[in-house]
Amino acid sequence: MQKKVISEAVVKRLPKYYRAVKNLSDQGINKISSNALAEMLGITASQVRQDFCNFGGFGQQGYGYDVAKLKQELATIMGLDHDYNVVIVGAGNIGRALGGYQGFEKYGFKVRAMFDSNPVIDNVGGIKVYNMSQFESYVKDNTVDMAVIATPKAAAQSVADRIIGSGIKSIWNFAPIDLEVPDYVSIENISMSESLLVLSYRTKNNV
Amino acid sequence: MQKKVISEAVVKRLPKYYRAVKNLSDQGINKISSNALAEMLGITASQVRQDFCNFGGFGQQGYGYDVAKLKQELATIMGLDHDYNVVIVGAGNIGRALGGYQGFEKYGFKVRAMFDSNPVIDNVGGIKVYNMSQFESYVKDNTVDMAVIATPKAAAQSVADRIIGSGIKSIWNFAPIDLEVPDYVSIENISMSESLLVLSYRTKNNV
DNA sequence: TAGATTGTTAATCGATTAACAATC
DNA sequence: TAGATTGTTAATCGATTAACAATC
């Protein structure tokens, strides 16, 4: 299959489409037009059609989009068509909160284990907390698709290196640092401090 | 002062500039060129100069940018030139993690209180947890500049309404929902589920 | 001064929006 | 069929990059 490069702007809208379509599906609505969907997201109908067209288009002229089909197509595009095994590195404040994060389960991400360089508790809501020294052997013995970095900034790069070294190719990073990772590793950052400063800017400038 | 409208793209880069400049400052470096700064952030020198030019420009031709001055200008632009009083609504997993979030203190945000509709603990790391019924009276009796929403999705809009009703004009929202707020309220969302789905997309599509 | 580097205008690029033929 | 709505091309808009005069 010839792969079209999808722009970052489009990729960032995919979860929004998915959320809206899921809502429609939950409400028992089974048909939606680009116009109505656009209104839900506060964007233009043109953009909706243009975006979906990137993936081949899943609509029917004169009818609109079938909600069930659209939902399933979006899920497949984003890789929600199967489960993932996840480990969390760092069992501090954020790591523990993530251990209980409902979003993981909701989208098929199974948190299998947590790691900490100095574990002070042995499980978080039923998830076992291992010493970081056991990280490589755990990954060797278990299938791990994704790792979450919830360590302090100082540890993050070396943790990332160990994650990558163990063969994991997907990292969700909560540490406030731009990690260096090879091209074949997918990474996504949650940058709380950047978000807070953006809010601070808006607050000061009434935006 | 005639206010120039700053694009969202520029605003999102401000925290990145600030972080880089702070690093330089910590290293004792007191001068930087647009070229060197651009390289640190992985962008072009043109963009750095263009961005700073939006705010009047703080460099010196033939020399570059004075790090101390640049840091201070960026801090002022983002409103980091004074402290803010913050309250957190929702003392669940995420609320509690945020109670211990170091980033707040680092940038002058003081977490003064937490609220929960059903408090099971009475303080989080020294921050008192109040019953949500006391929210309005607390805000009346104390200066509150910013509220964090760390409630479940179902409660988020009504919590937002109470926050706005109490006169707070700045909201940091962690609930997975697009809140309806009046124009004069600044809001910024941390959307963990959207971030997770973007990572899922990248992982599936090797991006 | 000569070299360096900004501030800013102009050119380019990419994303968004508009338009409309295709077609259900 | 006629009306509706997509898929897709073309036009527009805005952001990024290039270029260079200003000037330290």
Side-chain angles (χ1 to χ4, degrees):
Chain A
M1 174 172 87
Q2 145 88 26
K3 271 272 175 59
K4 185 173 174 161
V5 176
I6 305 300
S7 80
E8 189 65 10
V10 174
V11 172
K12 287 217 178 101
R13 279 192 294 272
L14 292 175
K16 294 179 200 290
Y17 287 127
Y18 187 72
R19 191 160 74 179
V21 171
K22 201 155 175 296
N23 280 155
L24 291 170
S25 170
D26 291 348
Q27 290 170 248
I29 295 167
N30 49 35
K31 183 207 128 156
I32 186 91
S33 69
S34 59
N35 218 285
L37 187 54
E39 196 166 346
M40 287 178 75
L41 302 222
I43 60 179
T44 64
S46 240
Q47 188 161 60
V48 171
R49 294 202 298 278
Q50 191 74 273
D51 284 353
F52 292 171
C53 189
N54 279 306
F55 302 100
F58 348 99
Q60 197 175 357
Q61 277 150 328
Y63 176 83
Y65 298 88
D66 180 80
V67 169
K69 178 171 185 208
L70 187 49
K71 184 180 159 198
Q72 186 251 300
E73 292 277 6
L74 288 168
T76 305
I77 289 165
M78 291 188 291
L80 304 181
D81 49 352
H82 65 93
D83 285 353
Y84 292 89
N85 294 309
V86 178
V87 297
I88 297 173
V89 181
N93 277 330
I94 293 182
R96 287 202 290 267
L98 287 173
Y101 175 52
Q102 300 296 311
F104 279 127
E105 274 297 320
K106 194 168 162 187
Y107 297 111
F109 297 82
K110 312 284 184 187
V111 180
R112 302 298 189 190
M114 292 181 66
F115 294 87
D116 198 279
S117 59
N118 182 23
V120 291
I121 43 175
D122 66 2
N123 89 86
V124 171
I127 303 162
K128 187 164 180 199
V129 182
Y130 295 87
N131 191 294
M132 191 60 194
S133 63
Q134 297 177 262
F135 182 77
E136 281 76 10
S137 67
Y138 178 93
V139 178
K140 204 172 154 211
D141 295 343
N142 298 271
T143 305
V144 179
D145 304 296
M146 181 181 290
V148 181
I149 299 182
T151 66
K153 180 180 173 179
Q157 183 64 59
S158 72
V159 165
D161 294 344
R162 286 176 70 177
I163 288 168
I164 295 161
S166 76
I168 297 169
K169 295 190 183 62
S170 179
I171 296 176
W172 202 20
N173 174 42
F174 283 74
I177 179 177
D178 281 325
L179 298 169
E180 304 278 342
V181 302
D183 274 356
Y184 63 85
V185 172
S186 299
I187 186 161
E188 163 74 5
N189 300 298
I190 289 265
S191 185
M192 304 220 319
S193 65
E194 286 179 21
S195 174
L196 181 59
L197 296 194
V198 166
L199 177 57
S200 183
Y201 172 86
R202 292 200 188 125
T203 304
K204 164 138 185 179
N205 297 278
N206 303 113
V207 196
Chain B
M1 173 173 88
Q2 146 88 24
K3 272 271 175 60
K4 185 171 174 164
V5 175
I6 306 299
S7 80
E8 189 66 9
V10 175
V11 173
K12 287 217 179 102
R13 279 191 294 271
L14 291 175
K16 295 179 199 290
Y17 287 127
Y18 187 71
R19 191 160 75 180
V21 170
K22 200 155 177 297
N23 280 154
L24 291 169
S25 171
D26 291 348
Q27 289 170 249
I29 296 167
N30 49 34
K31 182 207 128 156
I32 186 92
S33 68
S34 58
N35 219 284
L37 188 53
E39 195 166 347
M40 286 178 76
L41 303 223
I43 61 180
T44 64
S46 239
Q47 187 161 60
V48 171
R49 294 201 298 278
Q50 191 74 273
D51 284 352
F52 292 171
C53 189
N54 279 306
F55 302 98
F58 347 99
Q60 198 175 355
Q61 279 151 327
Y63 176 81
Y65 298 89
D66 181 81
V67 170
K69 179 172 185 209
L70 187 50
K71 183 181 161 198
Q72 187 252 300
E73 292 278 5
L74 288 168
T76 305
I77 289 166
M78 290 188 291
L80 304 181
D81 47 354
H82 65 93
D83 284 355
Y84 293 90
N85 293 309
V86 178
V87 297
I88 297 173
V89 181
N93 276 329
I94 293 181
R96 287 202 289 268
L98 287 172
Y101 175 52
Q102 301 295 311
F104 279 126
E105 274 297 319
K106 194 169 163 188
Y107 298 112
F109 297 83
K110 310 285 183 186
V111 180
R112 302 298 190 188
M114 292 182 64
F115 294 87
D116 198 280
S117 58
N118 183 24
V120 293
I121 44 175
D122 66 1
N123 89 84
V124 171
I127 303 162
K128 187 164 178 199
V129 182
Y130 294 88
N131 191 294
M132 191 61 194
S133 62
Q134 297 177 261
F135 183 76
E136 281 78 9
S137 68
Y138 178 93
V139 178
K140 205 172 152 210
D141 296 343
N142 297 272
T143 304
V144 179
D145 304 297
M146 182 181 288
V148 181
I149 298 182
T151 66
K153 180 181 175 179
Q157 184 63 60
S158 71
V159 164
D161 294 343
R162 287 176 70 178
I163 288 167
I164 295 161
S166 76
I168 298 168
K169 296 190 183 60
S170 179
I171 296 176
W172 202 20
N173 175 43
F174 283 74
I177 178 177
D178 280 325
L179 298 169
E180 303 278 343
V181 302
D183 274 356
Y184 63 87
V185 172
S186 299
I187 186 160
E188 163 75 4
N189 301 299
I190 290 265
S191 186
M192 305 219 317
S193 64
E194 285 179 22
S195 173
L196 181 58
L197 296 195
V198 166
L199 176 58
S200 184
Y201 172 87
R202 292 201 189 123
T203 304
K204 166 138 184 179
N205 297 278
N206 302 112
V207 195

